[in-house]
Amino acid sequence: MKRLLLGAMLFSCSASLMAAESLCQQKEQDIQHEIAMAKQHDNQRRVNGLERALTEVRANCSDKQLKSAHAERLESQKKKVAERERELQKARADKDDQDKIEKRERKLNEARQTLKKLAAEPY
């Protein structure tokens, strides 16, 4: 029983360490996938740009940097959602026309969807 518990703990720890250490590798794989897709669609300009990005990731990527940049993007998007909520509240308080209120609602929903998507991404 102790061996099973110890094995499970070691597996759990190693899996979390691999996940924590693999953000750069995951980003590299994502770029390689995008390169393959661009080649499949004969988009040489995109291939060139992605290969340049891949070179940069291989040379300069760090998990700490990726996490920091991701946190900044999340915070920025949260501020955007809050701003859209204020705009909608103001439009409702000012009793603006229904088209303007609906436009504000759409913008708020788009900002929330972007935030949700960002929160689900690892980097």
Side-chain angles (χ1 to χ4, degrees):
M1 182 69 178
K2 287 184 180 179
R3 286 184 182 180
L4 182 61
L5 184 59
L6 180 62
M9 286 175 46
L10 287 174
F11 179 76
S12 168
C13 290
S14 66
S16 64
L17 284 175
M18 285 179 62
E21 292 179 28
S22 65
L23 288 177
C24 289
Q25 292 172 345
Q26 186 176 355
K27 186 168 185 169
E28 187 175 327
Q29 288 174 353
D30 290 345
I31 293 172
Q32 288 171 338
H33 175 72
E34 289 291 321
I35 290 172
M37 294 298 290
K39 284 181 179 178
Q40 192 175 27
H41 291 95
D42 294 323
N43 190 343
Q44 190 58 44
R45 294 182 80 195
R46 179 125 171 96
V47 170
N48 293 343
L50 287 166
E51 286 177 344
R52 199 168 27 256
L54 184 60
T55 302
E56 286 293 318
V57 166
R58 287 179 175 159
N60 302 318
C61 186
S62 75
D63 289 340
K64 184 178 178 182
Q65 176 189 25
L66 285 177
K67 288 178 184 178
S68 174
H70 185 254
E72 286 177 19
R73 284 193 308 276
L74 275 173
E75 190 59 35
S76 173
Q77 190 61 32
K78 286 178 185 177
K79 288 178 182 176
K80 190 171 190 174
V81 167
E83 178 184 337
R84 298 290 187 222
E85 287 172 343
R86 284 190 302 275
E87 289 173 353
L88 177 58
Q89 288 173 352
K90 185 178 183 312
R92 286 180 176 158
D94 293 347
K95 301 200 187 297
D96 286 340
D97 63 17
Q98 191 59 33
D99 288 341
K100 197 169 194 177
I101 291 173
E102 288 174 2
K103 180 181 176 183
R104 301 277 188 232
E105 288 173 344
R106 278 193 306 273
K107 284 186 171 190
L108 175 58
N109 287 332
E110 289 172 6
R112 284 180 175 159
Q113 287 297 326
T114 303
L115 178 61
K116 187 176 179 180
K117 182 181 172 187
L118 261 175
E121 292 176 352
Y123 56 86

